[in-house]
Each structure stands twice: as structure tokens, then as C-alpha cells.
């Protein structure tokens, strides 16, 4: 089993349900407020740990109630938290989430995630050295993310990047990524001409792209350079928040089984993740994944 270092965000998710999203300038009444652990980095770390991967989380938290909640949650999932930086002058980040029955809107507030510097990443070089896979998203400063990619590349690590929320990376940095996991919206940022379809982008890219496609499944280039579509598994959808994160964490957990197998297992894990509410609420354990009878 690979060891995974997740370098990324930790957010307290403040969520409520709405029947539909508000129009600009409109106020709507929602359901009760639910506070839970989230952040794309944190979610991906938890998803991988629940599937019994050996996971270390690297990121920054404030010295506050949300920070304590997030730290305790990581520990409860047996994730190594020894290297998390605690800031005493900046609050932990939060995510303001509105959910409808099949979609969500998310705004991440400024907070400790944004204090990660290139120097913090340089200081964590030994940590990068001691893991097989480095898993990154884009809720930390882009300079810190780039530094992590550069160091991991020089150390010949497997680099997995989920470009969410999408922020452009220079081409020479993109080329250092082993697997890029965008969704159907994020992949558009990679196109070279406006008429390029996701299929064009995947087939032309020198980076191995695996595009998550919501209920439609996944598009990717296989080991024989053929662009393939794997449909998703059918489940009853309760909350899609965190489905992409579950996919990324599970993908890394199963990468030792080979690309196609890792993608299929990640599809199964993300299918189960939407059957319960909260970004981490439905993430399956390895036992739950193996016991479930999936169908497409
Ligand atoms: O991908 C879902 C996550 O996005 C939420 O947990 C929220 O914190 C935002 O980072």
C-alpha cells in the first residue's frame, strides 16, 4: 500500500439545504445549520485513510474551535497530524455551503489555508521525501502548491493534483504532474482553443488526465493511450458535496492496483459517498466498499 501525503486545505463546513439556489440579490430561507469537517485537502485525506491508506496531512489551522474540531477529526481517522501548522494570528478557514437535492454551491473564506508559504513547503521536504504519493488541490496559495510540485518532482514522487477550485498552473509545472484529476468544469481551463472538447483536451495532453464527470462517470486516457469512458455506479443521491474529494482520495489509495483498477474503485467510493449528507459523511470504509453490490 502506498503512503500518501496530502498538502492542502482544512475547512469547517457550514452547510444548509435549500430547495433551489438564490438568484442574485435574493434571500431564501434554508434548513438548519450543520457544521462539519471539510476542505478539499482534509476530505481527500480522510477518504484515503478510511480505505486504509497510510496518510499524512500537511496544512495550516487557526488556534480556535474549528481548528480543534478539524485536528481531532483527522486523529480519529488515524491520519498523521504531526506536521500541521497552527497559526495563532489567523482563524481556521470555513466553507459556506448551500445544497439542493443534487448539487451544491461553495464559498471558502480566507483563513489559515492561505498562510502556507513556499518556505513552509521547503521545510516539509523531508516529509515529501518519506511518502510515495503527493496529493494536492488548489485551496492553498498557488506558489506553495507549485513549490510542492517542484520538490516532489525532483524527488521522483507520484504527484496527483485535483485542480479545484481551478487556478491556472504554468505549463512547465503542469508537465511535472503525474495524474491530473479535474472535473468537467475545471478541465476547460486546460484547453488550447475554445472549441476543444474534454475528449480533445485529454487526448492531446502530455499529462495523464482523469476527468470526473458527475453522474456520467469518468473520462481518461488508458495505459494504451486510448481515451475511455467509464460510467458511474447507480446509487440514490442524498448529497454530492465531497464526491470529487472521495474520488481523489480513493484513487490514490488504490493506485498500487494499476490505473484502470484505481479509477474503478474510486468511482465506487465516490458513488457511496453521495448516499449520505456532508462532505465526509458518506465516505466508505474499505469493508463497506467491499461489501456493497455495485451496478451501473
Ligand atoms: O469539495 C468539497 C469541499 O469543498 C468542502 O468540504 C468545502 O470545505 C470545500 O473545500
Amino acid at each position: 500500500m502506498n503512503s500518501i501525503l496530502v498538502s492542502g486545505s482544512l475547512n469547517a463546513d457550514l452547510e444548509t439545504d435549500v430547495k433551489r439556489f438564490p438568484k442574485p440579490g435574493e434571500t431564501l430561507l434554508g434548513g438548519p445549520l450543520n457544521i462539519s469537517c471539510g476542505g478539499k485537502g482534509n476530505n481527500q485525506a480522510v477518504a484515503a485513510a478510511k480505505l486504509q491508506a497510510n496518510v499524512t496531512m500537511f496544512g495550516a489551522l487557526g488556534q480556535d474551535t474549528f481548528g480543534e474540531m478539524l485536528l481531532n477529526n483527522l486523529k480519529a481517522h488515524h491520519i498523521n497530524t504531526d506536521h500541521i501548522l497552527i497559526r495563532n494570528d489567523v482563524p481556521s478557514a470555513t466553507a459556506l455551503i448551500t445544497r439542493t437535492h443534487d448539487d451544491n454551491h461553495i464559498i471558502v473564506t480566507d483563513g489559515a489555508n492561505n498562510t502556507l508559504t513556499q518556505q513552509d513547503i521547503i521545510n516539509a521536504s523531508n516529509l515529501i521525501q518519506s511518502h510515495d504519493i503527493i496529493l494536492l488541490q488548489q485551496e492553498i496559495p498557488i506558489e506553495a502548491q507549485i513549490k510542492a510540485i517542484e520538490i516532489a518532482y525532483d524527488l521522483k514522487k507520484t504527484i496527483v493534483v485535483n485542480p479545484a477550485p481551478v487556478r491556472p498552473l504554468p505549463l512547465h509545472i503542469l508537465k511535472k504532474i503525474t495524474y491530473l484529476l479535474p472535473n468537467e468544469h475545471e478541465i476547460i481551463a486546460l484547453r488550447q482553443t475554445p472549441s476543444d472538447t474534454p475528449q480533445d483536451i485529454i487526448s492531446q495532453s502530455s499529462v495523464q488526465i482523469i476527468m470526473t464527470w458527475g453522474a456520467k462517470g469518468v473520462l481518461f486516457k488508458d495505459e494504451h493511450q486510448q481515451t475511455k469512458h467509464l460510467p458511474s455506479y447507480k446509487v440514490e443521491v442524498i448529497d454530492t458535496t465531497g464526491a470529487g474529494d472521495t474520488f481523489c482520495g480513493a484513487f490514490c489509495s488504490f493506485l498500487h492496483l494499476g490505473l484502470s483498477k484505481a479509477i474503478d474503485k474510486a468511482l465506487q467510493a465516490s458513488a457511496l459517498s453521495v448516499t449520505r449528507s456532508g462532505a465526509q459523511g458518506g465516505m466508505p470504509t474499505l469493508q463497506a466498499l467491499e461489501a456493497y453490490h455495485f451496478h451501473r
Side-chain angles (χ1 to χ4, degrees):
M1 178 86 48
N2 289 313
S3 58
I4 304 168
L5 173 65
V6 183
S7 172
S9 59
L10 298 129
N11 304 334
D13 285 354
L14 314 181
E15 315 157 297
T16 195
D17 291 309
V18 285
K19 289 206 171 66
R20 60 174 178 81
F21 296 120
K23 297 179 194 135
E26 186 183 25
T27 302
L28 289 180
L29 297 177
L33 176 71
N34 183 43
I35 301 179
S36 60
C37 294
K40 296 187 195 300
N42 181 18
N43 292 341
Q44 294 178 19
V46 169
K50 288 190 86 166
L51 295 166
Q52 289 183 7
N54 170 3
V55 184
T56 299
M57 180 79 210
F58 182 71
L61 288 170
Q63 205 164 30
D64 49 27
T65 313
F66 287 153
E68 204 179 316
M69 171 183 87
L70 288 157
L71 203 57
N72 288 340
N73 181 59
L74 288 165
K75 288 181 183 159
H77 287 99
H78 308 291
I79 293 169
N80 179 351
T81 59
D82 294 351
H83 307 274
I84 291 194
L85 306 167
I86 306 292
R87 311 297 198 198
N88 53 22
D89 50 350
V90 181
S92 301
T94 55
L96 313 176
I97 304 180
T98 45
R99 294 188 301 223
T100 61
H101 74 286
D102 63 351
D103 211 346
N104 58 58
H105 279 177
I106 304 178
I107 296 173
V108 180
T109 65
D110 192 17
N113 296 326
N114 276 342
T115 66
L116 273 188
T117 62
Q118 290 188 319
Q119 191 57 51
D120 291 327
I121 303 291
I122 294 168
N123 295 345
S125 297
N126 286 345
L127 201 57
I128 297 175
Q129 168 67 63
S130 61
H131 290 77
D132 304 308
I133 298 175
I134 310 305
L135 174 56
L136 300 150
Q137 319 72 31
Q138 298 196 306
E139 286 182 335
I140 60 169
I142 205 82
E143 306 75 36
Q145 194 203 14
I146 288 175
K147 184 54 76 184
I149 293 172
E150 286 174 336
I151 294 175
Y153 182 81
D154 289 345
L155 292 169
K156 299 190 171 38
K157 300 296 170 182
T158 299
I159 305 170
V160 182
V161 176
N162 169 223
V166 72
R167 293 151 94 181
L169 286 170
L171 193 59
H172 72 282
I173 296 296
L174 261 180
K175 285 183 175 162
K176 295 187 170 181
I177 295 170
T178 324
Y179 299 106
L180 189 70
L181 274 53
N183 66 19
E184 66 205 281
H185 309 293
E186 292 146 6
I187 198 171
I188 297 301
L190 300 171
R191 70 183 169 193
Q192 283 163 11
T193 52
S195 57
D196 280 351
T197 63
Q199 284 86 345
D200 296 331
I201 300 167
I202 290 170
S203 66
Q204 288 158 11
S205 176
S206 58
V207 182
Q208 176 71 53
I209 299 178
I210 296 129
M211 183 190 88
T212 54
W213 210 358
K216 286 192 223 152
V218 165
L219 263 187
F220 70 107
K221 203 158 50 180
D222 70 6
E223 294 90 338
H224 311 292
Q225 306 306 305
Q226 300 294 317
T227 304
K228 275 202 172 157
H229 172 217
L230 260 190
S232 59
Y233 290 95
K234 288 201 168 47
V235 287
E236 194 196 340
V237 179
I238 301 294
D239 181 7
T240 57
T241 315
D245 296 333
T246 307
F247 184 93
C248 297
F251 174 77
C252 292
S253 299
F254 291 115
L255 250 183
H256 61 285
L257 302 178
L259 180 65
S260 300
K261 191 83 185 160
I263 293 175
D264 192 47
K265 288 275 188 192
L267 269 178
Q268 293 184 342
S270 57
L272 284 187
S273 77
V274 302
T275 60
R276 289 174 60 185
S277 67
Q280 297 180 9
M283 287 176 177
T285 59
L286 189 59
Q287 292 77 357
L289 194 77
E290 283 170 351
Y292 195 85
H293 296 291
F294 289 97
H295 63 279
R296 289 194 149 104

